[in-house]
Amino acid sequence: MDTFKKIFVKSSVGIPLAAIVLGLLFGAIVMLAGGYDPILAYTSLVQMLFGSPYDIGEAIRAITPLIFTGLAVAFAFRTGLFNIGVEGQFMMGMTGATLVGVGLELPWYLHAPLAVITGALFGGIWAGIAGYLKAKRGVNEVISSIMLNWIALFLSNFIVAKFLVQQGQQKTPDVHDSARLSMDWLVGLMGNARMHWGTFVAIICVVVFYVLLWRTKQGFELRAVGHNPDAALYAGMNVKGTLVKSMFISGIFAGLGGVFEILGVFGYQTVMAATWGYGFDGIAVALLGGNTPVGVLLGAILFGGLSYGSAGMNFGADVPQEIVRIVIGSVIFFVASHGIVKFFLKPFLSKRAEKRKEAV
Amino acid sequence: MDRNLAAVQLKGITKRFPGLVANDSIDFELKKGEIHALLGENGAGKSTLMNILFGLYQPDEGEIYVNGEKTVIDGAAKAIELGIGMVHQHFKLVQPFTVAENIVLGNEPKKGLSINYKLANEKVRDISERYGLKVDPQVRIKDITVGMQQRVEILKTLYRGAEIVIFDEPTAVLTVQEIEELIEIIRNLAAEGKSIIIITHKLKEVMALADTVTVIRRGKVVRTVSTSETDERKLAELMVGRDVSFQVEKTKNEPGKTVLSVDSLQMKGEQGKQVLNGVSFNVRAGEIVGIAGVDGNGQSELIYAITGMRQVSGGSVKLNDRDLTNKSPRKVSLAGVGHIPEDRHKHGLVLDFTLSENMILGSYFEPEFGRGVFIDYGAMDKLATKLVDEFDVRTSGIHTHARALSGGNQQKAIIARELHSDPDLLIAVQPTRGLDIGAIEYVHKRLVEARNQGKAILLVSFELDELYSLSDRIAVMYEGAIMGEVDAVHRDDQQLGLMMAGNRPERSHLEKRG
Amino acid sequence: MKKTLSTMLMLIIAATLVLSACGAKTNNEGAAGGNNEGAKEEEVKSDGSGKDFKIGMVTDVGGVHDKSFNQSAWEALEDLTAKTGAATKYLESKGDADMEPNLNKFVKDGYNLTWGIGFLFNDALSKVASENPEANLAVIDSVIEAPNVASITFAENEGSFLVGVVAGLMTKTGKIGFVGGMEIPVIKKFEAGFKAGVAAVKPEIVVDVNYTGEFGKPDLGKIAAATMYDKGIDIIFHAAGATGNGVFNEAKARKNAGDDVWVIGVDKDQSLEFGDEVTLTSMMKGVEAAVFKISQDLINGTFAGGTTQELGLKDNGVGLPETNKNLPEDVLKQVEEFKQKIIDGEITVPVEPAA
């Protein structure tokens, strides 16, 4: 319950909201300086996000993978690990799902779950490697997981190119319908936006994140190791095993993100020149969300929503992409740096509230 | 030397923090060339006061006079300019730099644009000789002992021209020998005309070192007296506000069967050095066995070996005749070993967990805290409430983070947790380190109680007084081996000292203890 | 410690976001704003024929200033605005997943034609086309069989053949190299044509081939080029997008050091960007002409929906730049002869490199 409370306490909602407003104000100044109409730009942004069922649906589609990667980063962080390899685990999740989705033919009630589980395990194992190296060999997980990102990219490309690719093409054949997880009834309702079950799974994962960490014995162990591995060791916990488990679970979140991009969004996998960046955005999302599950959800909505809606500013108000990025960047910047926002808010906060905060 | 001239005068200093008055109109006067102790329990307001003098905090009320002139100290830079230096409890040194580099840091002698290392080394050598602080200017901080590092801190203040030196709990991290050397150094400084303030809660040091002592309790000055007109007992009373018993009441207790038996333990250190070299001893039910020795002679490794934190290369550990050699910490703890670790912040508690969560740190997996994978926080809170009550842990609630508790209450929480598991053997390492008198008294009382209830207790301490007053037997460790044992009551202090320095007792002596 | 780390990270990320935005801004001189609502340029007289038309274009991740495809396409649309008064606009895709909503943005806003630039648009564009049968779409470098899509591809092998001839005739060391981006069919076409062209004039030369695996990594291009030049190769043809910029970079460095090395550019006349000192010639793709033509067709009411056009030498869809300062008359003459033979069908240029 603590985390839920934390998120809904007045100040912890107020400050991010104020931060968003400050960021938008700053963005407006930049746009004015560049000779663009900020009001029209922001109207277009909102229009792009909520203007039509299609846009709402596509915004949700853009937000979904960020929830997964944000949870992955936050989960590892709770155990004191910095999983910068979410990118690669995401790729491995995609590849696992594609292998099963394209390579096997099964009835739907087996095919889709098997594809999801395979992808999740691919992601989990990929992260587990970094966890294992950390536990047994003391290899810093930041370094090993960055390296594993590259290996994941090239391994995925190799698997796709070697076993799955269509003749004369750079992509696999489509995943069999029995493994597709798009929600066709909703796709129709949302004007052909790519709606898929991954969004629901992502929200379930938010709950799982919370329950696992704060309601189970395993979670107690994970958090103890995260806060103080020495004390955990003294208390008889298996610290090394916990590190591997934590990375594994983190990788499962990341892998699931990749799974649904394949089974829900694209339906095929291409040979890629570079990773997609959802994993790195996940770091920002986790930090925005203060590494709490609901925070990550909100952070993903903010981050994904802004980056999807930014095309609207470009489209509707002719604000060039570069200035759009400054605006989005400054909103994120203000949300991420509580200190600056508090500084701006200081004159407005009553003295009493100030004291209460310090006393905590 | 005009002893009557005040180097520092603080008048009516008041500093408020939300919900607390840390300093309540404090008057304080430091005479030139005097050693003045600032005595008080943890949280009494000593450090706040000194941080004000060093410019780290601004007082809400009151005036500061340095050398008779009223000043406002608005930062450490200003304090240094006024000739005030502070030796912090936690050193602020750059580990990979040399001694000389650390000392001149921020004030380097220049040759053109580059640092004149030769001159720096010379200057450092000069002042270190003048004050009898022997250090090699060219070694790196990371290669020298804590005691040496403290000297570097002192030299740093002197290099910057400090006339007034504040020491914050200077002996907390030092060994017995290093403390003696430090006392010598401080006396030298005073003799050279420096004015010294020592923040401490150790009565013995105050008596040994200071000319004057100001006792602070709950942010107020209780009294300022000359050490020649007082004694430890009186000071303790002033400090705690009530009568304090130094002597632990300990009745004679007939030890029972052997609980822990350690036989010829061998362990290699990280650099392949033999850190345990055939350690053998035993602890029986209903007795406290103290391990004496200078820090770094294998005491920590011995505890690691018994608790399963590190693997031994030979020998055996048995608890009630059950072999525990190289078993995992969890198995050892389940077998009936409780452990009060030396570093309660690092090893004893998860500071960002609530008090309640810390209470089940070693037992969360037990069925009483929930069946299956889920954890029963209700059962946890119930236990925590019970233990907080039973062990008198002063806290604003069981959901307070452990970090927010005072050192004494943290230690009480650990003891509560470890005793609650009803161990046959309780290992206590430096259980009173950094605690104030009231808390020390409490910890001692609890340990003796546990002994009286028939638990076997293994106590490691660097405070001989503590070992004397608690232990039934004392074993002395030196370079990874037990030099011999002495009876705590009929002990021979000289013999003990010799053993700590590495001399084996005469044959007959050993046999007598059998 | 953990707190410091997270604070630092936060600042780094925030700084990166802001700085990357700033950085992007600086290399965007003049073109800022980009989207033209009506004619801006004064020299060209608009005939106003297109003023009721709205044409949109979606870039791939390269963005509109990629000095390649996307830029060429956008220049064509800017030109179209200037000449006909049509409203044109672009959207940049930040990732593969953005392509579909970006296309939809134009389609749902009632644009008369929407372009997808590059073969990566294959799936997104065909999906959008089938969902919106009344909308007109067009795609470059990909073939989509839908009645409302005009597909444009290029016979890169034919153009590459001609620069192969140039390389064969101009090499002094008798060694020639090819640097590719990803090893994909469309790039293979470059390689096949180039090899055939070299073989047509110097059958004994074996072209050294290196695929860097990336289109956006100039550092890899530089390394590949350095390796080749070290082997004594004096002419490199690159078909590697921004990775090829590294090839030019390495060539320039060697040129300054006195080596006689050359690069053959791709897609556009790259001598305009990298200078005549190192650019021997370029294998141009007529993206700009093609985009302009198809868009113009729409305005004229002759939009070729449902057709695929492969633009080769005979359509001037591929070829050498008009001016080639570095090529002597006789070389140009031979190139012209080969060009005629290909157009006449006397020579068939292979699409896949011989094993």
Side-chain angles (χ1 to χ4, degrees):
Chain A
M1 272 325 279
D2 278 359
T3 40
F4 280 99
K5 263 188 229 153
K6 244 180 250 164
I7 285 153
F8 292 113
V9 167
K10 224 163 68 194
S11 74
S12 71
V13 169
I15 286 177
L17 282 183
I20 294 172
V21 172
L22 276 172
L24 291 176
L25 278 177
F26 182 78
I29 294 169
V30 173
M31 282 190 276
L32 279 175
Y36 303 96
D37 180 353
I39 295 172
L40 178 62
Y42 288 138
T43 323
S44 310
L45 175 83
V46 174
Q47 183 75 19
M48 180 77 184
L49 281 173
F50 304 108
S52 69
Y54 178 81
D55 285 327
I56 294 173
E58 278 293 326
I60 291 172
R61 193 268 313 148
I63 288 163
T64 302
L66 293 176
I67 303 176
F68 283 114
T69 56
L71 287 178
V73 175
F75 193 89
F77 208 84
R78 282 279 169 193
T79 324
L81 294 167
F82 188 37
N83 182 3
I84 206 164
V86 170
E87 197 71 42
Q89 293 139 28
F90 190 91
M91 291 272 322
M92 292 311 285
M94 286 168 53
T95 308
T98 308
L99 270 175
V100 174
V102 176
L104 300 180
E105 282 186 65
L106 292 168
W108 64 269
Y109 53 87
L110 286 178
H111 203 177
L114 185 67
V116 172
I117 291 167
T118 309
L121 284 179
F122 268 48
I125 291 168
W126 206 248
I129 295 173
Y132 177 84
L133 288 174
K134 164 104 177 178
K136 296 288 166 183
R137 291 274 170 269
V139 182
N140 187 311
E141 78 279 6
V142 174
I143 292 165
S144 61
S145 60
I146 286 182
M147 293 303 152
L148 283 166
N149 281 344
W150 291 102
I151 302 174
L153 173 65
F154 293 119
L155 182 62
S156 297
N157 280 350
F158 174 77
I159 292 172
V160 168
K162 183 86 180 168
F163 304 111
L164 298 170
V165 89
Q166 279 171 301
Q167 187 66 34
Q169 288 253 24
Q170 281 311 292
K171 64 183 196 75
T172 65
D174 283 349
V175 167
H176 295 294
D177 277 346
S178 51
R180 281 306 299 262
L181 285 169
S182 52
M183 296 192 285
D184 295 329
W185 49 279
L186 198 56
V187 168
L189 279 178
M190 304 294 273
N192 290 322
R194 292 165 287 177
M195 308 305 293
H196 58 87
W197 287 105
T199 309
F200 286 90
V201 176
I203 289 165
I204 291 169
C205 282
V206 170
V207 178
V208 167
F209 184 109
Y210 169 75
V211 170
L212 187 58
L213 274 184
W214 281 280
R215 281 284 165 264
T216 68
K217 294 177 173 180
Q218 183 64 64
F220 186 85
E221 210 168 87
L222 287 163
R223 285 186 298 129
V225 170
H227 283 308
N228 187 345
D230 291 308
L233 187 67
Y234 269 71
M237 295 175 192
N238 179 353
V239 173
K240 291 178 173 179
T242 306
L243 291 181
V244 181
K245 271 185 218 162
S246 160
M247 281 303 269
F248 180 74
I249 295 168
S250 166
I252 283 181
F253 286 131
L256 282 173
V259 164
F260 288 105
E261 286 306 288
I262 295 297
L263 302 184
V265 178
F266 286 98
Y268 58 85
Q269 188 171 345
T270 55
V271 174
M272 281 177 270
T275 53
W276 284 348
Y278 286 124
F280 293 122
D281 290 348
I283 298 169
V285 168
L287 289 172
L288 282 177
N291 295 309
T292 62
V294 176
V296 165
L297 179 63
L298 297 176
I301 291 173
L302 177 69
F303 200 98
L306 281 179
S307 67
Y308 181 76
S310 66
M313 297 170 73
N314 195 230
F315 186 83
D318 289 333
V319 181
Q321 193 69 34
E322 293 73 26
I323 294 196
V324 170
R325 285 193 198 137
I326 295 178
V327 175
I328 305 298
S330 43
V331 173
I332 305 283
F333 180 86
F334 276 97
V335 175
S337 36
H338 304 283
I340 295 176
V341 176
K342 276 185 188 155
F343 176 77
F344 277 112
L345 288 182
K346 219 171 182 177
F348 304 106
L349 290 172
S350 71
K351 256 229 149 94
R352 240 175 73 206
E354 191 81 292
K355 271 183 182 161
R356 197 179 50 215
K357 217 170 295 145
E358 277 183 31
V360 169
Chain B
M1 193 79 31
D2 184 2
R3 286 225 154 210
N4 293 317
L5 222 143
V8 172
Q9 258 184 308
L10 303 176
K11 288 188 181 165
I13 297 288
T14 299
K15 176 71 185 172
R16 295 183 197 90
F17 290 114
L20 149 99
V21 184
N23 288 162
D24 189 355
S25 62
I26 284 186
D27 295 323
F28 176 85
E29 187 178 297
L30 173 68
K31 294 199 181 72
K32 281 212 169 123
E34 130 182 281
I35 303 175
H36 195 139
L38 201 53
L39 182 71
E41 292 201 282
N42 291 336
K46 320 177 286 266
S47 294
T48 306
L49 187 66
M50 286 304 110
N51 282 333
I52 287 171
L53 180 56
F54 196 55
L56 300 176
Y57 290 149
Q58 291 308 307
D60 296 324
E61 288 163 29
E63 293 164 349
I64 302 172
Y65 295 83
V66 177
N67 296 322
E69 274 179 51
K70 189 178 168 187
T71 49
V72 174
I73 304 176
D74 53 7
K78 181 70 189 285
I80 292 166
E81 192 191 311
L82 290 168
I84 302 172
M86 188 152 174
V87 177
H88 294 273
Q89 189 176 358
H90 303 286
F91 306 144
K92 298 174 182 339
L93 296 172
V94 186
Q95 292 285 330
F97 278 21
T98 65
V99 168
E101 283 166 343
N102 265 286
I103 292 172
V104 301
L105 196 67
N107 202 358
E108 303 90 350
K110 299 269 169 58
K111 194 167 70 184
L113 280 174
S114 64
I115 296 171
N116 187 343
Y117 285 107
K118 208 174 143 230
L119 189 58
N121 284 338
E122 272 170 25
K123 278 189 158 184
V124 168
R125 205 163 279 136
D126 264 6
I127 46 169
S128 79
E129 269 164 25
R130 195 166 133 212
Y131 296 101
L133 283 152
K134 263 179 260 160
V135 285
D136 179 351
Q138 274 152 331
V139 295
R140 293 184 191 286
I141 296 296
K142 62 182 166 62
D143 297 329
I144 59 177
T145 62
V146 173
M148 279 295 169
Q149 294 185 15
Q150 190 177 50
R151 288 189 184 185
V152 177
E153 282 283 1
I154 299 170
L155 282 170
K156 220 162 88 181
T157 62
L158 296 174
Y159 176 80
R160 291 174 180 180
E163 288 300 317
I164 300 153
V165 185
I166 307 167
F167 288 88
D168 187 2
E169 302 274 0
T171 59
V173 288
L174 301 184
T175 63
V176 184
Q177 285 87 343
E178 283 171 336
I179 291 175
E180 274 167 22
E181 286 166 19
L182 176 69
I183 290 175
E184 198 56 37
I185 289 167
I186 292 177
R187 287 216 178 102
N188 271 342
L189 290 179
E192 288 280 336
K194 309 284 180 196
S195 317
I196 312 280
I197 302 175
I198 294 170
I199 306 175
T200 185
H201 58 252
K202 290 188 183 166
L203 299 167
K204 229 178 172 176
E205 280 161 22
V206 172
M207 293 307 293
L209 190 54
D211 305 315
T212 317
V213 51
T214 294
V215 184
I216 297 187
R217 189 168 78 226
R218 291 187 189 158
K220 286 184 183 163
V221 172
V222 182
R223 191 175 303 164
T224 301
V225 285
S226 162
T227 46
S228 56
E229 293 160 13
T230 185
D231 59 34
E232 284 185 40
R233 177 166 287 276
K234 278 188 203 150
L235 285 178
E237 249 183 80
L238 288 173
M239 186 165 118
V240 183
R242 62 181 162 83
D243 195 10
V244 177
S245 81
F246 279 110
Q247 199 53 47
V248 186
E249 282 184 36
K250 207 174 79 181
T251 51
K252 188 142 176 60
N253 202 14
E254 207 46 56
K257 65 179 176 71
T258 300
V259 175
L260 173 75
S261 76
V262 172
D263 188 33
S264 347
L265 275 189
Q266 305 274 348
M267 188 194 278
K268 285 215 162 42
E270 270 154 25
Q271 279 97 37
K273 195 183 153 215
Q274 195 79 21
V275 286
L276 289 185
N277 202 353
V279 176
S280 303
F281 67 95
N282 56 53
V283 186
R284 287 165 295 179
E287 73 168 347
I288 299 179
V289 173
I291 302 280
V294 179
D295 191 9
N297 274 293
Q299 295 97 320
S300 308
E301 287 80 3
L302 175 63
I303 303 305
Y304 294 150
I306 298 172
T307 53
M309 311 278 296
R310 251 205 240 163
Q311 301 274 300
V312 297
S313 52
S316 71
V317 177
K318 282 192 182 125
L319 189 78
N320 295 328
D321 287 333
R322 241 178 92 192
D323 187 29
L324 286 184
T325 320
N326 286 340
K327 291 279 189 291
S328 73
R330 170 72 44 90
K331 287 219 173 86
V332 172
S333 128
L334 289 176
V337 176
H339 185 187
I340 302 166
E342 176 176 1
D343 187 335
R344 58 182 165 270
H345 288 172
K346 196 170 172 213
H347 299 140
L349 294 167
V350 177
L351 292 175
D352 291 317
F353 266 18
T354 63
L355 181 57
S356 207
E357 285 173 315
N358 270 296
M359 286 304 186
I360 60 164
L361 211 53
S363 58
Y364 62 95
F365 51 88
E366 303 276 11
E368 66 175 298
F369 301 112
R371 287 176 198 291
V373 296
F374 291 100
I375 201 159
D376 180 355
Y377 284 105
M380 173 184 88
D381 287 349
K382 224 169 96 188
L383 172 73
T385 313
K386 188 183 131 202
L387 291 180
V388 161
D389 192 42
E390 206 177 306
F391 286 80
D392 191 31
V393 181
R394 306 265 171 85
T395 166
S396 51
I398 53 169
H399 293 295
T400 307
H401 280 193
R403 186 182 293 287
L405 299 182
S406 71
N409 283 306
Q410 289 174 341
Q411 195 71 333
K412 280 182 188 174
I414 294 173
I415 293 172
R417 178 181 72 208
E418 297 304 319
L419 285 178
H420 173 73
S421 65
D422 196 23
D424 295 327
L425 171 70
L426 181 65
I427 298 172
V429 186
Q430 294 263 70
T432 58
R433 193 172 93 160
L435 300 188
D436 55 44
I437 294 181
I440 291 174
E441 200 186 354
Y442 182 88
V443 171
H444 285 177
K445 200 177 91 201
R446 278 288 176 177
L447 288 177
V448 171
E449 257 175 45
R451 158 202 182 250
N452 294 345
Q453 285 159 15
K455 302 208 182 304
I457 294 176
L458 179 63
L459 171 70
V460 177
S461 179
F462 303 129
E463 314 256 349
L464 283 178
D465 287 342
E466 183 167 80
L467 287 172
Y468 290 157
S469 58
L470 289 180
S471 313
D472 296 298
R473 285 187 290 147
I474 299 173
V476 183
M477 265 190 103
Y478 178 78
E479 292 196 336
I482 302 279
M483 283 287 122
E485 274 178 20
V486 292
D487 187 300
V489 185
H490 310 102
R491 63 179 188 262
D492 177 345
D493 286 2
Q494 207 185 352
Q495 182 75 37
L496 196 77
L498 281 171
M499 286 197 281
M500 283 170 70
N503 298 305
R504 283 199 182 273
E506 299 126 38
R507 193 90 199 125
S508 61
H509 191 81
L510 245 187
E511 270 166 2
K512 214 163 64 193
R513 303 284 157 236
Chain C
M1 184 1 245
K2 215 174 288 159
K3 199 163 179 191
T4 337
L5 181 71
S6 70
T7 316
M8 258 170 54
L9 272 166
M10 231 153 55
L11 288 176
I12 290 168
I13 288 168
T16 316
L17 284 167
V18 172
L19 289 179
S20 64
C22 298
K25 198 187 168 201
T26 49
N27 57 36
N28 169 30
E29 343 73 30
N35 293 344
N36 300 334
E37 294 273 11
K40 277 183 194 163
E41 290 171 39
E42 282 161 28
E43 317 95 67
V44 188
K45 263 263 170 356
S46 162
D47 62 7
S49 61
K51 67 176 169 21
D52 295 328
F53 286 88
K54 292 198 288 181
I55 298 173
M57 163 192 142
V58 182
T59 75
D60 64 12
V61 284
V64 81
H65 305 297
D66 68 346
K67 298 182 173 163
S68 179
F69 263 44
N70 293 306
Q71 192 166 346
S72 301
W74 178 238
E75 279 164 8
L77 290 187
E78 282 185 311
D79 197 23
L80 188 76
T81 302
K83 286 184 178 143
T84 68
T88 55
K89 186 171 277 197
Y90 70 84
L91 282 175
E92 294 181 347
S93 303
K94 290 182 284 287
D96 291 1
D98 281 345
M99 292 173 174
E100 193 181 314
N102 280 345
L103 290 170
N104 264 318
K105 194 79 201 160
F106 286 117
V107 167
K108 299 201 188 237
D109 208 53
Y111 272 61
N112 306 78
L113 175 64
T114 307
W115 283 93
I117 309 299
F119 74 97
L120 291 170
F121 277 89
N122 196 329
D123 293 270
L125 202 121
S126 52
K127 180 160 177 272
V128 172
S130 70
E131 283 165 7
N132 302 280
E134 75 294 344
N136 291 323
L137 295 113
V139 66
I140 296 275
D141 260 359
S142 180
V143 178
I144 293 169
E145 285 170 18
N148 54 341
V149 179
S151 308
I152 291 147
T153 62
F154 297 91
E156 290 94 352
N157 51 333
E158 294 182 2
S160 302
F161 185 95
L162 296 188
V163 295
V165 169
V166 170
L169 294 173
M170 295 290 289
T171 179
K172 290 186 184 124
T173 59
K175 290 177 183 169
I176 293 169
F178 173 81
V179 173
M182 288 171 86
E183 200 169 353
I184 53 176
V186 66
I187 303 298
K188 285 279 196 189
K189 260 165 103 179
F190 285 91
E191 185 198 334
F194 185 64
K195 278 179 166 172
V198 172
V201 290
K202 295 274 172 69
E204 73 281 4
I205 295 180
V206 178
V207 177
D208 196 344
V209 177
N210 186 345
Y211 280 94
T212 58
E214 298 270 1
F215 285 112
K217 291 273 167 72
D219 52 325
L220 292 180
K222 191 170 161 69
I223 293 166
T227 317
M228 286 186 175
Y229 288 138
D230 282 344
K231 284 188 201 166
I233 286 169
D234 61 347
I235 298 174
I236 297 177
F237 175 38
H238 90 87
T243 301
N245 296 353
V247 176
F248 278 103
N249 204 320
E250 179 65 23
K252 264 188 185 166
R254 293 199 179 229
K255 202 82 173 187
N256 289 340
D259 290 359
D260 191 17
V261 295
W262 294 98
V263 186
I264 298 175
V266 79
D267 291 349
K268 306 178 65 168
D269 182 358
Q270 291 197 297
S271 69
L272 301 177
E273 189 178 336
F274 294 102
D276 287 316
E277 314 84 63
V278 290
T279 316
L280 188 59
T281 181
S282 295
M283 201 302 270
M284 288 175 59
K285 273 166 89 165
V287 174
E288 195 170 340
V291 169
F292 188 86
K293 180 176 175 294
I294 301 284
S295 305
Q296 178 96 59
D297 286 351
L298 178 86
I299 292 169
N300 296 339
T302 55
F303 176 67
T307 64
T308 299
Q309 307 185 23
E310 186 178 53
L311 305 178
L313 283 175
K314 68 173 185 306
D315 319 288
N316 277 326
V318 292
L320 271 55
E322 277 173 32
T323 52
N324 287 289
K325 288 186 190 159
N326 293 317
L327 303 185
E329 265 316 306
D330 59 316
V331 172
L332 284 173
K333 216 172 111 198
Q334 289 202 50
V335 166
E336 204 50 47
E337 284 167 24
F338 276 108
K339 181 178 172 183
Q340 204 51 50
K341 282 183 190 169
I342 295 169
I343 292 173
D344 296 344
E346 274 176 55
I347 298 176
T348 313
V349 184
V351 262
E352 279 187 45

